[in-house]
Amino acid sequence: QKAAIKLIPADLFSEGNLDESAQLARWADSAKLSYPHLIQLFERGRGKIDDRNFLYVVMEYAEENLSQILPQRALSPEEVKEMLPPTAETLAFLHRAGLVHGHLKPSNILAVDNQLKISADSLRKIGELDKQFPTPYTALELAKTGPSPAADVWSLGATLVASLTQREPDSKNRSEEHTS
């Protein structure tokens, strides 16, 4: 069976930006989830390549993700209509379980055997703060309130707009509007 491996350099954790043990625990919790449109996590742990330490997670292999399609073309309204129900239903499943995605964006919407799935390697409890690496798809309130169902829905909306227009949200203008 094909699998994907995500590596995170351990020095990110030693700099105090993230909690290594907490990340491994989140991956362990995420691996217990089973939902048709959620990427399955298989294994996680610590490893070393050459003299560098890493955390790793082994997950279901996806043939492609939405961020690979959008530079080539926008999705048709029919394609977005097919993408929305499984994505929204998966977010609703997570929210009912007290979890949020927290990093929904085109690269985290994947195709596995012609089935849409969303990534599961960034899931966390609602409100559980972490060191965010903001993207244009990150809801502005995330830095203050932590991940929330509302922030996931905002990120889904931004992803849908980008899917139809091939344009990412303009984070510069959004941050100026938010602070005014």
Side-chain angles (χ1 to χ4, degrees), residues 1 3-4 10 15 24 35 41 49 63-64 85 98 105-106 108 115 119 122 127 133-136 141 152 156 171-172:
Q1 178 176 354
E15 295 168 4
L24 290 170
Y35 195 75
L41 303 185
I49 299 175
E63 290 84 26
E64 67 181 346
K105 56 187 175 182
N108 288 327
Q115 183 179 17
S119 64
S122 66
F133 300 100
T135 73
E141 69 270 15
D152 276 354
L156 175 57
S171 56
K172 180 181 182 284

Side-chain angles (χ1 to χ4, degrees), residues 64 66-77 79-80 162-167:
E64 67 181 346
L66 184 55
S67 72
Q68 294 170 309
I69 296 168
L70 293 181
Q72 299 167 26
R73 66 179 183 83
L75 297 185
S76 69
E79 290 171 312
V80 171
S163 297
L164 290 165
T165 66
Q166 287 184 283
R167 286 187 225 135

Side-chain angles (χ1 to χ4, degrees), residues 16-69:
N17 292 338
L18 302 167
D19 182 333
E20 189 174 329
S21 297
Q23 183 59 60
L24 290 170
R26 281 193 288 270
W27 284 340
D29 290 343
S30 296
K32 295 173 190 169
L33 296 172
S34 177
Y35 195 75
H37 298 287
L38 191 62
I39 290 286
Q40 186 177 359
L41 303 185
F42 302 123
E43 297 288 333
R44 71 242 154 244
R46 294 175 176 89
K48 189 177 245 187
I49 299 175
D50 295 324
D51 286 326
R52 195 156 182 213
N53 293 314
F54 292 88
L55 287 189
Y56 68 87
V57 62
V58 180
M59 63 189 100
E60 190 173 10
Y61 177 78
E63 290 84 26
E64 67 181 346
N65 67 60
L66 184 55
S67 72
Q68 294 170 309
I69 296 168

Side-chain angles (χ1 to χ4, degrees), residues 4 114 164 179:
N114 291 320
L164 290 165
T179 56

